[in-house]
Amino acid sequence: MWQLFQFPLCPFSRKIRLLLSEKGIAFELVRENPWEGRDEFFVMNHAGRVPVLHEPGRGVTLCDSRAIAEYLEETNDKNPMINGTASNRAEIRRLVALFDESFFGQVTGPLLEEKMRKRLVLRQSPDSRALREAMKLAHENLYYIDWLVDTRPWLGGARMSLADLAAAAQISVADYLGGIDWNGHEQAASWYATFKSRPSFSPLLADRMESIYPAPHYADLDFWPPHEAAR
Ligand SMILES: N[C@@H](CCC(=O)N[C@@H](CS)C(=O)NCC(=O)O)C(=O)O
């Protein structure tokens, strides 16, 4: 069986978890904290990063979430996630790059640094200015998702695709860390609510990172519209 080396708040690993589930591919999670720099892990992935997808029986080791996603698409026909015409597929890949690079660089990465790495690894307090900046940039990214949802059924086009999985993976981590304010983002929130209720998503919502507690609405399927009491 496939083994996915990951830790609960890694958005790139979450994207692969969603993809494996949507494709109905069996896998087990193996906990890896890349910051511990385990020698055996560096042998698997010279970059020392998760996710790594490993099949011990066949001796296959795949590194980097985009390489892994392409491999799974090429080797499994069920539920294609880089789908449609060549232009559609280019659009899906553009959005995956946008969420993996810009959203991660502006929002998820800084939130993980301030709220997870500083706490668990560096034993430092978060920098409130960096947190405010990440939340401000989260709003700007959510405005773009609002626009995408207004113009097409799914983020990448007519069908659900890897673009949705990449976006939902990043947002779910940012949301866990309290970095998402859904107010003013009705379209993005309704897209995320639909996504949140998919069976592939429930293991992510149940997952917890030790010592780091999720925002109160994180696992709530009815988080939108906000309840009266929470307004
Ligand atoms: N481009 C890589 C990024 C993976 C990545 O940045 N993983 C982070 C955790 S979310 C990591 O392992 N960081 C450890 C490090 O950079 O040393 C991918 O898509 O897989």
Side-chain angles (χ1 to χ4, degrees):
M1 199 200 302
W2 287 108
Q3 297 178 327
L4 183 69
F5 288 71
Q6 56 83 53
F7 65 90
L9 289 182
C10 169
F12 305 101
S13 304
R14 285 182 168 224
K15 179 179 64 180
I16 299 303
R17 290 170 69 175
L18 290 170
L19 181 59
L20 287 163
S21 300
E22 290 289 345
K23 284 186 163 293
I25 300 172
F27 66 103
E28 62 183 14
L29 296 176
V30 179
R31 178 63 185 267
E32 184 70 41
N33 295 333
W35 54 88
E36 287 172 3
R38 244 179 9 104
D39 288 345
E40 297 84 347
F41 185 60
F42 271 95
V43 172
M44 293 180 93
N45 183 5
H46 183 68
R49 291 179 169 170
V50 289
V52 170
L53 191 62
H54 179 59
E55 223 290 15
R58 286 192 285 141
V60 178
T61 304
L62 308 169
C63 306
D64 187 275
S65 68
R66 279 195 249 171
I68 297 170
E70 296 278 349
Y71 174 94
L72 294 173
E73 278 294 283
E74 286 170 19
T75 54
N76 182 300
D77 291 339
K78 189 175 165 197
N79 245 346
M81 287 286 156
I82 305 176
N83 47 41
T85 64
S87 312
N88 296 144
R89 298 197 300 276
E91 174 64 352
I92 291 164
R93 290 188 172 99
R94 174 186 79 82
L95 288 168
V96 171
L98 187 79
F99 293 115
D100 283 3
E101 291 166 20
S102 302
F103 196 99
F104 181 75
Q106 296 175 349
V107 182
T108 327
L111 288 170
L112 282 169
E113 176 67 16
E114 298 304 323
K115 292 205 163 184
M116 186 194 78
R117 207 170 84 89
K118 283 195 175 170
R119 179 171 185 146
L120 298 184
V121 186
L122 305 176
R123 310 271 173 215
Q124 292 173 3
S125 310
D127 173 348
S128 50
R129 220 177 50 152
L131 288 175
R132 274 198 305 277
E133 180 65 12
M135 288 186 74
K136 194 184 98 192
L137 292 169
H139 269 300
E140 289 177 16
N141 281 276
L142 288 175
Y143 282 124
Y144 187 60
I145 295 178
D146 289 334
W147 177 80
L148 289 173
V149 173
D150 265 344
T151 54
R152 36 180 94 170
W154 293 91
L155 299 191
R159 292 170 62 188
M160 188 175 78
S161 75
L162 194 60
D164 298 279
L165 309 192
Q170 294 290 337
I171 289 173
S172 68
V173 175
D175 200 34
Y176 184 110
L177 295 172
I180 301 284
D181 172 6
W182 291 103
N183 284 306
H185 298 291
E186 199 159 324
Q187 299 94 323
S190 62
W191 161 81
Y192 188 59
T194 308
F195 213 86
K196 240 178 154 176
S197 48
R198 292 185 75 78
S200 62
F201 215 89
S202 47
L204 270 58
L205 293 176
D207 217 358
R208 294 289 176 274
M209 187 82 192
E210 60 282 355
S211 324
I212 299 173
Y213 300 103
H217 64 264
Y218 168 70
D220 185 358
L221 296 182
D222 297 323
F223 73 103
W224 188 264
H227 306 305
E228 281 304 322
R231 276 187 218 255

